[in-house]
Amino acid sequence: MNTPPGPPPMTELSGGEALWLLEGSTLGQLAYVQREQAVVRPARHVWEYGRLIVRAPVPATAIPPTATYAANEIDPRTGTGWTVTLTGPVDVLRDPHEAAHYRRTLAGWMHGPHDTLLRFRPQTITGFRLAGAEA
């Protein structure tokens, strides 16, 4: 007797589903290139008004014009979950009222010059649902 194949271990998400998952999460990783080396830092985020606001422990002067952000939720026992990655132009939030709002909204890991708030304007958004190794 043949067993029907299960779902593929990794399936691509639609852009809408990827954004929906990103909007429902709060933790991720900011990735960018600095002096020809990849830098990855933990970050917190919120999706508002078609923009991703990120709070990360990086100096504002290190942020290039374009960066990448990734978020995921993966169950370590089953290997199931999802991953979403977006890339696009990024700006440091400089308005003091807007920055104060997001400092209250998003918890940070540190304060001072290495506590930066960023606004992403995503140009590419990709995501995958993970069915796990047993699928």
Side-chain angles (χ1 to χ4, degrees), residues 64-131:
T66 300
T68 297
Y69 190 77
N72 57 62
E73 289 185 15
I74 301 169
D75 184 325
R77 293 172 292 124
T78 63
T80 60
W82 57 267
T83 182
V84 171
T85 303
L86 63 83
T87 301
V90 62
D91 299 310
V92 175
L93 289 181
R94 303 214 184 268
D95 178 85
H97 298 292
E98 188 177 22
H101 166 73
Y102 288 114
R103 287 196 198 291
R104 286 188 305 272
T105 304
L106 297 168
W109 280 274
M110 58 180 28
H111 300 287
H114 294 280
D115 181 25
T116 302
L117 289 161
L118 306 167
R119 180 185 299 110
F120 270 85
R121 293 182 314 272
Q123 289 182 332
T124 61
I125 300 171
T126 59
F128 295 92
R129 186 162 302 280
L130 309 171

Side-chain angles (χ1 to χ4, degrees), residues 29-68:
Q29 303 85 36
L30 173 68
Y32 58 95
V33 175
Q34 182 180 30
R35 292 187 215 116
E36 299 181 25
Q37 288 193 337
V39 176
V40 179
R41 296 289 181 262
R44 296 189 190 275
H45 68 268
V46 64
W47 181 265
E48 287 187 338
Y49 310 112
R51 302 286 187 262
L52 184 72
I53 306 299
V54 173
R55 186 174 184 180
V58 299
T61 56
I63 303 299
T66 300
T68 297

Side-chain angles (χ1 to χ4, degrees), residues 12-35:
E12 192 166 358
L13 298 172
S14 69
E17 187 175 10
L19 285 176
W20 181 77
L21 290 167
L22 185 69
E23 189 175 7
S25 67
T26 59
L27 295 173
Q29 303 85 36
L30 173 68
Y32 58 95
V33 175
Q34 182 180 30
R35 292 187 215 116

